[in-house]
């Protein structure tokens, strides 16, 4: 496991070094933007030649127009409750029998500051069950996690906005609100074409207003980009930090008259958001309330060719609904260990 952590650090360092030598990026590159973000995007013409538009529980054209304007869409009842219950049962098993599993968690508690990413087997159950924990890439371990990540309702919409095959990049599972400051994901989740990024926030229970819900600024996907001092990505060369990023986004959205919205969706509903939608986690006002959610990040086939932790290796793909997710090259023994999802 320690070799995996060393490898993760060295991949991150290489990314920073190659960025250091390049000219700082201050905007997305216009020619490589997803087609829907370009000035002349013609949604009706696109849909005439898009095969996936039929048999959806939502109106794809209406959602695509909304996305272009607002930088997000909400899909009601997109994921079956049975699938969510299976995922939650597996997470409870992971916590209960944590000594058996190597799934990584990120712990944002002061006592873990020096070493915030650890395998669950090395973290006490009480900590795993509490707030400030993110379960990282649980879809690697779980067949139902992969099926939810690449559900037809999500994949069809994202393959339309990318105009390409969809690739599931990574996932985070939360039991409690994140209370994360306002940010845009492209600064942290970087593919070979940074604008080819989207995320899904999948409600694993009904969201209570006091549980630290997600908030977002509709329309913020088109505001000018923040400069971390070395361009738009936060990394080892940045002279500004995530708090500066948050202040810039909150102020810029306010000045542009963009109103903050709170995400109060129900179990099985999904928020999909654009690479540059400004969003964050609200304050947890009632600490006993959970806010269970599964957050997945996606890119396009053109922009995400290799697993982020093994850029030199040809990835092994798992294909669901015409989209792919890469097998975790560092933990083959943990892939799909939760396999009940095969029969669901
Ligand atoms: O769910 C949350 O509170 C924050 C999730 C988020 O912002 C992200 O994963 O980008």
């Amino acid at each position: 496991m320690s070799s995996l952590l060393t490898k993760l650090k060295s991949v991150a360092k290489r990314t920073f070094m190659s960025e250091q030598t390049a000219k700082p990026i201050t905007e997305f590159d216009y020619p490589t933007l997803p087609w829907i973000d370009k000035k002349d995007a013609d949604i009706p013409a696109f849909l005439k030649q898009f095969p996936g538009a039929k048999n959806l529980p939502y109106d794809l054209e209406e959602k695509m127009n909304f996305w272009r304007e607002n930088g997000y869409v909400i899909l009601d009842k997109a994921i079956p409750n049975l699938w969510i219950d299976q995922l939650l049962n597996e997470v409870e098993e992971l916590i209960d029998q944590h000594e058996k599993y190597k799934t990584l968690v990120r712990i944002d508690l002061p006592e873990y500051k020096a070493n915030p990413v650890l395998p669950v087997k090395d973290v006490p159950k009480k900590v795993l069950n509490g707030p400030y924990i993110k379960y990282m890439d649980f879809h690697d371990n779980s067949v139902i996690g992969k099926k939810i990540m690449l559900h037809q309702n999500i994949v069809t919409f994202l393959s339309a906005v990318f105009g390409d095959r969809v690739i599931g990049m990574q996932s985070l599972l939360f039991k409690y609100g994140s209370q994360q400051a306002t940010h845009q994901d492209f600064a942290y989740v970087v593919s070979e074409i940074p604008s080819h990024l989207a995320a899904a926030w999948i409600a694993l229970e009904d969201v209570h207003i006091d549980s630290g819900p997600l908030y977002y600024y509709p329309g913020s996907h088109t505001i000018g980009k923040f400069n971390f001092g070395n361009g738009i990505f936060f990394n080892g060369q940045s002279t500004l930090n995530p708090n500066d990023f948050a202040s810039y986004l909150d102020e810029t959205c306010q000045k542009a008259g963009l109103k903050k919205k709170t995400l109060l969706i129900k179990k099985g509903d999904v928020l999909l958001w654009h690479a540059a939608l400004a969003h964050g986690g609200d304050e947890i006002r009632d600490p006993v309330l959970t806010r269970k959610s599964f957050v997945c990040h996606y890119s396009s086939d053109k922009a995400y060719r290799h697993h982020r932790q093994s850029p030199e290796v040809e990835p092994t793909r798992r294909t669901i609904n015409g989209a792919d997710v890469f097998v975790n090259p560092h933990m083959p023994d943990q892939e799909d260990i939760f396999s009940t999802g095969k029969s669901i």
Side-chain angles (χ1 to χ4, degrees):
M1 184 55 54
S2 67
S3 74
L4 169 59
L5 293 178
T6 315
K7 176 108 187 175
L8 287 177
K9 282 179 193 154
S10 88
V11 168
K13 211 166 176 182
R14 258 203 317 280
T15 314
F16 300 160
M17 283 167 65
S18 61
E19 279 164 13
Q20 191 182 26
T21 50
K23 213 166 117 229
I25 298 171
T26 52
E27 248 315 328
F28 287 152
D29 170 49
Y30 188 83
T32 58
L33 281 179
W35 73 275
I36 199 163
D37 289 336
K38 293 194 175 167
K39 288 189 195 82
D40 56 355
D42 182 343
I43 293 172
F46 173 86
L47 285 175
K48 279 200 188 110
Q49 50 76 53
F50 181 71
K54 292 175 206 86
N55 304 323
L56 288 172
Y58 54 85
D59 180 332
L60 184 57
E61 183 166 355
E62 184 192 306
K63 293 287 181 201
M64 289 170 80
N65 281 314
F66 191 90
W67 173 272
R68 197 168 142 72
E69 181 83 13
N70 297 285
Y72 75 95
V73 292
I74 292 175
L75 308 180
D76 295 328
K77 299 190 176 71
I79 308 292
N81 278 356
L82 184 71
W83 293 26
I84 292 175
D85 293 340
Q86 178 58 33
L87 182 72
L88 290 173
N89 284 344
E90 292 175 3
V91 174
E92 289 314 311
E93 152 76 14
L94 183 82
I95 296 171
D96 200 49
Q97 304 288 317
H98 66 119
E99 319 77 26
K100 296 203 283 200
Y101 300 112
K102 299 183 202 161
T103 309
L104 296 176
V105 281
R106 189 185 161 91
I107 311 162
D108 289 310
L109 286 167
E111 55 275 35
Y112 289 89
K113 198 159 188 228
N115 220 359
V117 177
L118 290 170
V120 288
K121 67 184 177 56
D122 297 341
V123 182
K125 213 186 273 189
K126 191 164 182 291
V127 174
L128 292 173
N129 250 322
Y132 306 107
I133 297 279
K134 290 176 189 157
Y135 291 86
M136 298 168 70
D137 292 323
F138 186 65
H139 70 273
D140 288 340
N141 314 127
S142 161
V143 173
I144 200 72
K146 288 185 176 76
K147 281 181 148 177
I148 293 174
M149 178 186 233
L150 300 182
H151 191 282
Q152 187 77 65
N153 291 337
I154 296 176
V155 163
T156 304
F157 182 79
L158 294 181
S159 83
V161 300
F162 288 140
D164 196 0
R165 192 177 180 90
V166 171
I167 312 291
M169 283 177 86
Q170 61 166 58
S171 70
L172 297 169
L173 193 143
F174 299 80
K175 284 189 80 171
Y176 289 85
S178 71
Q179 306 193 91
Q180 197 180 343
T182 311
H183 62 282
Q184 294 163 312
D185 288 347
F186 69 80
Y188 305 109
V189 185
V190 186
S191 68
E192 285 168 39
I193 308 172
S195 62
H196 288 218
L197 175 72
W201 198 102
I202 300 160
L204 304 180
E205 64 182 341
D206 295 358
V207 181
H208 190 287
I209 195 158
D210 293 331
S211 67
L214 192 89
Y215 64 81
Y216 54 101
Y217 291 98
S220 55
H221 60 310
T222 58
I223 64 173
K225 303 281 184 292
F226 178 67
N227 188 345
F228 276 100
N230 60 323
I232 62 177
F233 309 112
F234 179 62
N235 59 36
Q237 274 75 50
S238 300
T239 55
L240 296 172
N241 62 46
N243 289 334
D244 301 315
F245 190 26
S247 305
Y248 167 82
L249 292 172
D250 288 328
E251 280 162 26
T252 309
C253 288
Q254 263 163 31
K255 277 190 204 143
L258 302 177
K259 298 257 177 317
K260 195 173 176 176
K261 276 198 155 201
T262 304
L263 186 71
L264 296 175
I265 55 176
K266 303 267 184 223
K267 180 174 176 178
D269 296 346
V270 175
L271 169 80
L272 297 176
W273 75 89
H274 184 281
L277 187 83
H279 65 281
D282 230 334
E283 185 195 342
I284 300 176
R285 291 190 202 89
D286 183 345
V288 303
L289 292 175
T290 56
R291 196 219 57 179
K292 295 175 189 166
S293 57
F294 187 43
V295 177
C296 302
H297 288 92
Y298 306 85
S299 188
S300 66
D301 190 39
K302 192 171 174 203
Y304 195 64
R305 306 290 310 166
H306 301 99
H307 194 283
R308 67 189 190 283
Q309 289 154 13
S310 268
E312 307 88 5
V313 177
E314 195 50 38
T316 304
R317 292 164 189 259
R318 291 282 158 83
T319 301
I320 303 173
N321 295 319
D324 298 333
V325 59
F326 302 157
V327 165
N328 185 331
H330 296 290
M331 284 196 240
D333 62 319
Q334 301 284 293
E335 197 73 34
D336 294 342
I337 42 176
F338 293 98
S339 61
T340 306
K342 281 183 189 164
S343 58
I344 291 180

